[in-house]
Amino acid sequence: MDTKRNRQKRVRRFVAYGLVILTALVTAGLGLAYYQFQKLPKYWAENQKYLDQTDPQDVDQLAWETENVVLNLLTKMPGYSNLSEGQVQSTTAREGVSRVLEDKDGVLRQQINLTTHQINAWLGRRLESWAANQNIKLPSEISDVMMHTEGGHIVAAFRFKKGQLDAVVSCVFNITITEPGKALVHLVQLRTGSLPATWTTKLLNDKDFKRFVTRLKQGEKVDLKFPHSINDKLTVSVEKLTIHGNGVMADVVTK
């Protein structure tokens, strides 16, 4: 007989089962969130594997070659490029290259193509010393900076460690050349592990970091016009930037 007392027992039993199931789901969800927070991005793991499995001297050599290719490109003067049109200057590693597109009428047009391996070798070996030479103090909370390309975007990944928080953070940037020598950089996504941005900003509850993220989401203007290192009457400007699956290619004009 279905008495009022029996119905109340069934309701209490149903509520108890519901609470058990809800508790299990919440626990599983938190466990998954923690796993995703700790999970290293594939590109991060691959870069670390490359650095671990490559002879340190080879990584150092690649970093120096990358820097030299860029310096050679930025120090050439119109009429004195020493390379015929279309001639390629390559590193001994034969990865990224630079080449002369045109050199006439006081204007030198060049193109440089750098692979992510080259860029990451330089970031791993030369970033700190370069920053010190430029009187730039890198944040102590950030280390192991690397770059990855993804769907026409640049991904800057780094280890962020502050207090008990230790995570790999990925900033996905869209870079648009607005005019020769000028670019607009937008942060389009922020990831910690593989969590979405809303979780990331809650987990990284740091005022300075949040201020940095807010500014980049609004868009940051970047000057890509530099004084020539040899002739102060010349400037070097990035006029075109192409982000491809294996790195970055830039068209550079010296005049």
Side-chain angles (χ1 to χ4, degrees):
M1 187 174 180
D2 191 14
T3 63
K4 182 178 180 180
R5 185 176 180 180
N6 289 335
R7 287 197 299 270
Q8 288 176 341
K9 285 183 178 180
R10 285 201 302 270
V11 170
R12 285 196 295 269
R13 191 181 300 119
F14 176 79
V15 172
Y17 287 160
L19 288 174
V20 170
I21 293 171
L22 180 60
T23 301
L25 289 174
V26 170
T27 302
L30 290 174
L32 177 61
Y34 180 78
Y35 168 75
Q36 296 283 44
F37 177 66
Q38 294 294 328
K39 182 182 177 182
L40 297 177
K42 183 179 179 181
Y43 45 84
W44 173 274
E46 288 178 348
N47 184 58
Q48 292 299 308
K49 182 179 179 181
Y50 166 75
L51 293 175
D52 291 342
Q53 295 183 353
T54 305
D55 190 314
Q57 291 185 346
D58 291 339
V59 179
D60 289 338
Q61 180 70 19
L62 185 57
W64 276 106
E65 288 173 351
T66 303
E67 186 166 311
N68 287 333
V69 168
V70 175
L71 289 176
N72 287 337
L73 178 140
L74 296 177
T75 56
K76 287 187 176 67
M77 293 188 290
Y80 297 92
S81 62
N82 297 324
L83 290 173
S84 59
E85 187 174 320
Q87 187 174 348
V88 169
Q89 174 190 325
S90 174
T91 67
T92 56
R94 303 255 177 224
E95 289 205 8
V97 298
S98 67
R99 60 179 179 145
V100 173
L101 299 178
E102 187 179 53
D103 186 3
K104 65 180 182 180
D105 301 328
V107 178
L108 173 62
R109 298 182 183 277
Q110 301 174 86
Q111 187 177 76
I112 185 168
N113 183 35
L114 296 176
T115 68
T116 51
H117 269 168
Q118 287 179 300
I119 295 169
N120 288 330
W122 186 87
L123 289 172
R125 294 294 197 271
R126 301 288 301 147
L127 176 61
E128 287 189 10
S129 59
W130 174 85
N133 289 334
Q134 301 296 319
N135 294 319
I136 298 173
K137 186 177 181 181
L138 299 176
S140 59
E141 297 88 355
I142 292 176
S143 64
D144 300 331
V145 180
M146 67 156 292
M147 194 206 81
H148 172 66
T149 60
E150 181 179 289
H153 295 115
I154 283 181
V155 182
F158 51 87
R159 184 174 293 280
F160 183 82
K161 189 172 183 179
K162 188 172 185 179
Q164 294 183 337
L165 179 61
D166 184 0
V168 173
V169 178
S170 297
C171 298
V172 184
F173 294 105
N174 182 56
I175 302 177
T176 305
I177 301 294
T178 55
E179 60 180 277
K182 301 287 184 181
L184 188 63
V185 178
H186 270 104
L187 178 67
V188 296
Q189 191 179 33
L190 179 66
R191 299 194 295 249
T192 303
S194 55
L195 287 175
T198 52
W199 272 85
T200 301
T201 51
K202 289 178 182 178
L203 289 165
L204 299 180
N205 190 22
D206 180 81
K207 290 182 179 179
D208 291 335
F209 194 86
K210 288 172 73 174
R211 193 179 300 117
F212 164 77
V213 169
T214 300
R215 191 176 76 238
L216 287 178
K217 281 186 175 181
Q218 293 171 347
E220 189 81 4
K221 294 181 180 178
V222 178
D223 191 359
L224 295 179
K225 182 180 288 186
F226 314 98
H228 197 278
S229 59
I230 297 176
N231 188 335
D232 58 9
K233 295 181 180 179
L234 297 173
T235 58
V236 183
S237 303
V238 176
E239 291 201 337
K240 183 180 179 182
L241 189 67
T242 303
I243 300 165
H244 53 80
N246 194 39
V248 176
M249 184 166 61
D251 288 5
V252 182
V253 175
T254 303
K255 61 181 179 179

